[in-house]
Structure formats: structure tokens, C-alpha cells
Amino acid sequence: YRIKDAPEKFLGQTLGDFGGGLDSTRSGIIYLSETVSEIFYQKKPKKFKENIIASKISGQDNGISFNRAEDANINFYENSVEFGNDLISPISTNAFSYYNFKLEGVFYDKNGKLINKINIIPKRKNDRVFNGSIYIVEDDWALYGADVTVTGAQVNIPPVDVLRLKQNYNYSKENDAWVLISQSIGFKVNFLGFKFDGKFSSAYSNYNFTPTFTEKTFTNEVLTFEKNATEKDSVYWNKLRPVPLTTEETADYKFKDSLKIVRKSKKYLDSVNKKQNKFNLVSPIMGYTYRNSYEKWGISFDGLIKDFSFNTVQGFNTSLGFNYFKRLNDKGKWWSFGAKANYGFSDKRIRPTFLFTKKWDNFSKPTFAISGGVTTPQFNDRNPVLKLNNTISSLLNRLNYLKIYEKSFAKISYSEEIKNGIQLATSLEYANRKPLFNTTNYSFVSQDENGGYKSNNPLDKTDFVNAPFTAHKIATLNVDATFVFGQKYLSYPDRKFNIGNAKYPTLNISYTKRFGASNSELNSDLFLANLKQDINAGNYGQLTYNIRGGMFLKKKNIAFMDYLQANGNELDFPLDNELTSFGLLEYYKFYTNDKYAEAHIEHNFKGAVLGKIPLLNKLNFHLVGGAKTLFMADKKPYTEYTVGLANIGFGKWRFLRVDYVKSNYGGIKNDGFLFSLSLF
């Protein structure tokens, strides 16, 4: 990776020298890595396994590269080619619907084979297609090579200017096949003041077309490292490289190998920390961190702005806090301790909290935590109202959607991946829960706006006197298991990295037992399940669904915050579009102490529909359609249907999404437009 004219700061934060590879113009190589791998590949059913034999990174001792051969496994013989996005191959069965072809010329290769150079011309600019040339062997009708490009709009990655792919094939007499021998992928990015470019170069050799695969060849572990992979010397690399290093790459290795010795020294790390640790006038507002890189610890203080918000219970409120972090090794063992105090300027209450966390490794990620203090959680523990949304709607429109109560608590928790694809988390909490009431009527607008503020009682927003629950103490035990079926993972020397499995959904099951309350009616047993999945529909976009359901073992008169609740929304611009909430459902309208289920489904067609409509396809908007439904044992079903446009914007700024939503509850229909932000 290279960078050109790198900015010195971004969002007020100093960016440093990107590993020491920058020249006086702040340009140069910021990442250089090489790997040698043994690849096992099966076409049907498609399976891929990589074992990294050697790994090297400029300027790093461990040399654990994150390069993966599977990421560069680009096969034009498939109808859909994975290249930043699922693109339509120029030799796919439906290629003539997307490309025009023009013979540019012919030539003979070294074996006397006639090669046809064919220009591939997209029929529509923003379709997920390639531009450039492919080379076809006469009579064999096999690929001889490819030299193609795609734009950021075509791969749905707006910051990317262009991606370029080159492939070369050779004829193997032994196997009577044309095999890929070299490939290069180049890219250019220009976004937010950052100008990147880079290249992934691959060379393929030692093909074996009659391998002997066993049951142990292909498992969920799709990448491994040899034990001594990072310990190869320069003689090994110089002998093995199919293409010599460029002068720039050679200089980068030499310079950074010398520089790393200096940068590991206490003198250097102390000098860097001295510069980083400078306290300035904005530190109390934006935050401050003191680092000791040599001893691997740091302490940070939260700025006043980090937790600043407004609600009608606390008024303007903010927090002051600190966090101490100590790294114990390079394999994920660390511990931290933090404490903060939140102060409400209207209710004049200080609410302190603390958190101690310890993690042992980056493999099964065992994590233990102890926390406690006084907080103000939402009545719906799924947190449907963002603090920022509530602050804006309260101060500008007198719409105080956030409803909170006070909880004094002590809690212990533990989580770990007990087996590949099975994450277990458990916690035990004891809490004293009290109701809260509005203490301020302040807003930037008049009292008459939207009828004035509502109460903090989600059950009756006109009742400013009575609380939605009686103060009580209660213990909560939670056991939570997440199953990622067929989870694929990468085994690095210092960590395990889970990459999931797109073929299967993810299932979460939890059991919550509340007990120890003086009023036995408040005790309860709750089971919840959540099933979700993103399904890649290839050239037709992406389908996403999220199904959630739960039930209490016994219907009882429990505290309101323990009810099963749906996520509503009463904002025109909710700032997010997660598939967990209902666009037109009033906050706290649907809740139950019995049985409950909700389902969300959405399909983003990307360029599959609008990309084929003349003129409209030039806008590169994405059509999105969806449906949502909600069932509760004691209420009528609630449904919503949505149709919208995503990827709205200009050039590389395409973060806006607009949806038209139509709802139905017991024959009462409603509709409206919602605006949200969507990052890629």
C-alpha cells in the first residue's frame, strides 16, 4: 500500500508517520508484505484451504501477514466473479445481456496458438461489470489472459476510484489445461483527503490436478500458519521470489528493518509518548490519553463532550471518567479498570459507575468483568432511542422520547467461545430499581410546540405524578449462547479470527431468570431466540432477515422494564436503519409479559433493477424493499411494508437512504417517509 500527500491530522487527531515509510512530502509505502502458501481447492462443492508456509512484513518482527489467497481467488469461468462485489463475468451464460464485444486483434503465442484480443464494453455504465479486454485461445476457447478495470460505483465502494485486474494463463501439456500463472490487482482510492494506491501480485505454480483429499483436508479452519513461517531469512526469499523486488520495495525493507530496532527502544518510545502525551486546552473537552508504550500501559480521561446529552429527567448531563489499560502480552491478554461519574444539571444528581475487565487471549477470547454503580437505563433494554436523537428532538421540537429509570447495581459477567461457532455469555446482577420524574421543562422552542413535553411514564405520557412501577430490588441471571453454524475461521499464530459462514444463519438463544424480589410477582423466567442472516443473491443484490421471538414461562405482573418490548420509532430521521426496529411504531406501544415474535426481511437490489432503466441508471441509486411484522399474545398483529432508495448522494458521498413506509394495525393504516444514514 502507498499513500500520497498524507494529511498530518484527521478529525483533530495526529496521524503520525504511518510506520516510518513517508518522505518529506508525506508520501511512500505504508504496508509491504509477502507470503508463500500451499493452496487446496475443490470446485464442486467449492472448498478452499490455505496453509501459509512463509510470511514477511516490512518493519515487523513477527511478520504475521493478513494477506489471503482466497481474497484473490478470481475466476472468470464462474457466472458471478467476486471482485470487491459480485460482478458479472464477461464469459458468463448471460454475458450478452450486460456486454458488447469487439474483436481488437489477434496474435500467436509461443506455442503457435492463435489468441483473440476482445474488447468488453459494458451496456450500462453502473452495472456490476468489467471494462477492458480479455484474451481467448482459438479452438480451445480458454482464457489466455485478462486486463480489466472496475470503478468504485460498479463494486459499490464509493471511495474507490478504480480497481484493475490482470491475469495470465499458460498451457500445461501434462494436464492438457490452461492454468493461471500470474495475477495482479491494483487499486486507487481518493477520499477524505487520503490518496491510496496499492497492488496485490500473485504467482501460481506446482499445480496438482489429481490431489488426494481426505475428510481432514477441508474443515472450518480455512487458513493456517506453519510454525516457522515468520522466521525465513533473506536467502530464502531472494531464491523464491518469481519477480524481483522493485528498487522502492528493496529500500523500504532495508529502511524499516533498521528503523524497527530503533523504534522498539525505550528512548524512542518515551520520546514519542512525550509528544503524544501533551495536554492542551481542548483536552478537558475532547478527552486526553497518557501512554507508556514501553511498559505497555495507558490511562485515558473522557472529555466532557463524549457523554454529553439532554433529557427531561436529568436536563443537560455529562460524564467525567478515566480508564486504565495494561497489555500483558501480544496474544490478547490484558486488563483494564475504569470509573466515571455522570452529573445531571437539572436533577443535580451524581451517578458513579465502575468497570473492571480482564481478557486472557485472542483465541477463545475468555473475558471476565465486574461492574457496578448507578445508571439511568431505558425502560426498553434494547435502547430504541439514541441519546443524540433525543437531545435534538427535545431541544428543537419538545419531543422527549427517551424514558429512563434509575438502577443501582453490582454485576459480574463472563464470556468465551467454548467451541468453534459457539459463544457462551453469562452474567449475574443485583439491582435496586427506582422510578424517575421530569425535572426540567427547558427547550429551545416554546412551550406550545407539539403540545409540550410528555411525562417520563411510558405507560401514560400524560401522567406526571404516578410512576410506571414501584421501587424494588431484584437479582437477574442471564445465560446467553450464540451459534454461528458452520463458522469458518482463520488461525494466526497470535489469534483466531472468525469469518462466519454466509450459507447459514446465526442463532442466539438466551435464558433470563429474575429472582429475589420481595414481591414474588416480580420474579420471572424468560426465553428468547434470535435468528438472522445476510444472503448474497449474486447479481440480484442482497437479502437480509432478522427473526426474534420470546416467551415467559408464566404470565405475571412483572415490572415494566422486564416486559418483552418491540423497538419503535417516531423520528423522521432516525440516523440509522438497522433491521431491528419498526419505522412507524410508537415507542412503548407494544409490550407483553406473555408470548411475542417479530420478523424483518429486506432485499437490496443494488443495481439489478434501477441499473437497467435509462437515465435513472446514471444516478446509481439502489432499490430496497422490505416487510416487517409483529405478534403479541394479547394484541393484534402489526405490519409494515417499505420501499426505498439507498446509495443516494453525489460522487463518493452516498450515505443517504430514503424509505416510504406503510403500516397496518387492526385496520388502522399509516404511512410516511423515513431518512437514514447508510455507510456503504
Side-chain angles (χ1 to χ4, degrees):
Y1 301 156
R2 297 179 184 85
I3 194 168
K4 184 178 181 181
D5 301 326
E8 294 187 4
K9 291 185 176 181
F10 182 70
L11 297 178
Q13 300 296 313
T14 302
L15 297 178
D17 61 5
F18 292 88
L22 305 186
D23 58 21
S24 58
T25 66
R26 291 186 62 78
S27 302
I29 294 176
I30 60 174
Y31 180 78
L32 172 60
S33 175
E34 297 177 275
T35 55
V36 179
S37 299
E38 183 179 19
I39 297 171
F40 304 85
Y41 178 73
Q42 178 177 290
K43 187 175 181 180
K44 290 185 179 181
K46 188 176 180 180
K47 295 180 180 179
F48 198 102
K49 172 69 178 292
E50 178 178 4
N51 180 41
I52 294 181
I53 299 167
S55 176
K56 179 180 178 67
I57 299 180
S58 179
Q60 294 188 19
D61 279 336
N62 60 18
I64 301 172
S65 174
F66 289 90
N67 306 338
R68 291 182 59 208
E70 189 171 11
D71 291 337
N73 183 32
I74 299 166
N75 186 359
F76 280 103
Y77 290 102
E78 300 284 348
N79 285 330
S80 182
V81 180
E82 295 181 16
F83 189 56
N85 201 339
D86 284 325
L87 304 182
I88 297 157
S89 170
I91 57 174
S92 68
T93 54
N94 59 343
F96 287 99
S97 298
Y98 295 89
Y99 296 97
N100 291 317
F101 299 89
K102 180 181 178 181
L103 180 64
E104 290 189 295
V106 297
F107 61 91
Y108 289 92
D109 75 344
K110 60 184 179 181
N111 297 315
K113 291 280 189 178
L114 180 65
I115 311 299
N116 300 278
K117 182 181 180 182
I118 300 172
N119 184 220
I120 54 175
I121 306 166
K123 290 188 173 182
R124 292 168 293 273
K125 180 181 177 181
N126 290 325
D127 274 355
R128 290 183 291 169
V129 293
F130 294 93
N131 310 268
S133 300
I134 57 174
Y135 299 80
I136 304 296
V137 183
E138 187 80 8
D139 297 328
D140 289 353
W141 307 117
L143 276 171
Y144 177 80
D147 187 354
V148 295
T149 62
V150 293
T151 64
Q154 289 168 326
V155 296
N156 197 33
I157 309 176
V160 171
D161 285 339
V162 65
L163 287 167
R164 184 170 186 175
L165 169 67
K166 289 185 177 182
Q167 287 187 336
N168 293 298
Y169 292 75
N170 263 2
Y171 179 71
S172 170
K173 291 184 179 180
E174 180 183 353
N175 300 292
D176 189 25
W178 288 86
V179 298
L180 180 65
I181 60 167
S182 67
Q183 175 179 281
S184 68
I185 302 171
F187 68 89
K188 286 186 177 180
V189 176
N190 187 349
F191 192 60
L192 295 175
F194 293 91
K195 300 175 183 178
F196 286 101
D197 70 79
K199 178 186 275 189
F200 301 83
S201 300
S202 308
Y204 301 86
S205 61
N206 299 330
Y207 279 91
N208 177 9
F209 283 91
T210 56
T212 303
F213 293 146
T214 67
E215 293 181 357
K216 296 182 179 180
T217 302
F218 297 106
T219 64
N220 289 326
E221 185 181 38
V222 296
L223 181 137
T224 55
F225 270 72
E226 293 283 350
K227 286 185 178 180
N228 62 344
T230 63
E231 300 171 7
K232 308 297 184 182
D233 58 20
S234 59
V235 175
Y236 173 90
W237 288 102
N238 291 335
K239 181 180 179 181
L240 197 64
R241 286 189 186 102
V243 179
L245 294 174
T246 65
T247 302
E248 183 185 22
E249 291 167 343
T250 302
D252 188 76
Y253 269 133
K254 185 176 180 180
F255 176 73
K256 288 182 181 174
D257 284 348
S258 301
L259 186 64
K260 71 183 179 184
I261 299 173
V262 175
R263 293 198 163 186
K264 289 170 61 179
S265 68
K266 186 176 187 301
K267 182 179 179 180
Y268 174 80
L269 292 173
D270 287 347
S271 67
V272 172
N273 289 156
K274 185 177 180 180
K275 185 176 181 180
Q276 293 174 331
N277 295 339
K278 286 183 178 179
F279 191 88
N280 55 47
L281 291 176
V282 299
S283 294
I285 299 173
M286 302 301 296
Y288 171 75
T289 299
Y290 181 91
R291 305 172 182 86
N292 188 321
S293 300
Y294 187 76
E295 296 184 5
K296 301 177 181 179
W297 63 268
I299 186 168
S300 60
F301 294 91
D302 296 335
L304 292 169
I305 199 171
K306 181 178 180 180
D307 207 22
F308 182 82
S309 64
F310 175 87
N311 62 69
T312 53
V313 174
Q314 298 171 281
F316 288 102
N317 65 95
T318 189
S319 300
L320 282 176
F322 77 92
N323 185 77
Y324 175 85
F325 180 88
K326 173 66 175 178
R327 184 156 57 98
L328 301 176
N329 64 27
D330 294 328
K331 295 188 176 182
K333 188 175 183 180
W334 54 264
W335 68 271
S336 70
F337 177 81
K340 72 175 182 178
N342 177 268
Y343 180 73
F345 287 89
S346 179
D347 67 351
K348 297 179 174 55
R349 283 289 311 277
I350 296 177
R351 295 180 172 90
T353 56
F354 74 89
L355 172 64
F356 169 83
T357 308
K358 184 172 183 178
K359 181 182 172 187
W360 278 266
D361 63 57
N362 284 329
F363 298 98
S364 64
K365 304 175 182 65
T367 306
F368 173 76
I370 302 176
S371 59
V374 185
T375 61
T376 54
Q378 296 187 47
F379 280 98
N380 184 346
D381 62 6
R382 299 172 69 189
N383 298 318
V385 185
L386 296 178
K387 287 184 178 181
L388 177 60
N389 279 336
N390 184 73
T391 299
I392 295 172
S393 65
S394 296
L395 295 177
L396 299 183
N397 294 311
R398 279 193 179 268
L399 296 171
N400 55 327
Y401 296 121
L402 189 74
K403 308 300 176 187
I404 56 178
Y405 66 97
E406 184 174 276
K407 181 173 75 170
S408 303
F409 73 101
K411 182 178 181 179
I412 58 172
S413 59
Y414 181 82
S415 65
E416 184 176 5
E417 186 180 39
I418 58 174
K419 190 176 181 180
N420 179 52
I422 304 177
Q423 179 78 24
L424 182 67
T426 184
S427 64
L428 178 63
E429 176 188 270
Y430 186 74
N432 183 9
R433 306 193 288 196
K434 300 177 181 178
L436 295 172
F437 299 89
N438 288 354
T439 65
T440 180
N441 198 36
Y442 180 80
S443 178
F444 295 161
V445 297
S446 68
Q447 171 69 28
D448 296 331
E449 186 74 21
N450 291 313
Y453 281 132
K454 303 300 188 291
S455 75
N456 190 49
N457 185 344
L459 296 177
D460 186 352
K461 297 172 187 177
T462 63
D463 189 346
F464 291 81
V465 178
N466 297 304
F469 71 99
T470 303
H472 62 276
K473 298 176 181 178
I474 197 167
T476 303
L477 171 68
N478 184 265
V479 180
D480 183 283
T482 300
F483 302 87
V484 183
F485 300 107
Q487 177 175 267
K488 305 291 184 182
Y489 65 95
L490 318 175
S491 291
Y492 294 103
D494 61 348
R495 72 189 60 200
K496 174 177 181 275
F497 187 78
N498 299 324
I499 58 175
N501 192 325
K503 294 182 179 180
Y504 306 107
T506 295
L507 173 66
N508 177 269
I509 299 174
S510 67
Y511 167 66
T512 301
K513 183 176 183 62
R514 294 186 173 90
F515 62 98
S518 54
N519 179 0
S520 61
E521 277 295 299
L522 299 179
N523 299 330
S524 62
D525 296 272
L526 169 65
F527 288 93
L528 272 173
N530 192 182
L531 190 71
K532 57 185 179 181
Q533 185 180 11
D534 294 331
I535 301 174
N536 188 343
N539 299 331
Y540 299 97
Q542 179 171 287
L543 176 72
T544 304
Y545 68 83
N546 188 356
I547 303 170
R548 185 175 187 259
M551 62 174 293
F552 289 89
L553 288 185
K554 186 177 180 181
K555 187 176 181 179
K556 301 172 68 176
N557 188 26
I558 57 178
F560 178 67
M561 68 281 287
D562 296 332
Y563 276 62
L564 279 168
Q565 301 186 46
N567 274 358
N569 173 66
E570 296 180 54
L571 297 164
D572 294 329
F573 204 137
L575 296 182
D576 63 68
N577 60 345
E578 294 185 5
L579 209 60
T580 57
S581 62
F582 294 86
L584 300 179
L585 181 66
E586 183 181 341
Y587 295 119
Y588 299 107
K589 184 177 180 65
F590 272 76
Y591 53 88
T592 184
N593 56 357
D594 195 357
K595 300 178 182 66
Y596 150 96
E598 65 178 82
H600 309 254
I601 187 168
E602 178 179 281
H603 190 94
N604 187 333
F605 291 91
K606 298 188 176 179
V609 177
L610 300 183
K612 295 180 174 61
I613 302 176
L615 297 180
L616 191 60
N617 59 10
K618 296 182 181 297
L619 298 174
N620 198 24
F621 293 166
H622 296 167
L623 179 65
V624 183
K628 304 179 180 185
T629 188
L630 176 63
F631 301 94
M632 289 190 177
D634 49 356
K635 290 182 173 65
K636 296 177 181 178
Y638 174 89
T639 58
E640 284 185 356
Y641 299 95
T642 66
V643 60
L645 296 175
N647 204 45
I648 299 175
F650 301 93
K652 297 178 181 180
W653 299 88
R654 294 185 168 272
F655 303 142
L656 182 63
R657 172 171 164 173
V658 180
D659 288 283
Y660 173 71
V661 185
K662 195 172 184 64
S663 67
N664 188 332
Y665 174 57
I668 301 174
K669 297 180 180 181
N670 194 9
D671 65 345
F673 286 92
L674 295 180
F675 301 84
S676 58
L677 296 179
S678 179
L679 299 178
F680 314 132

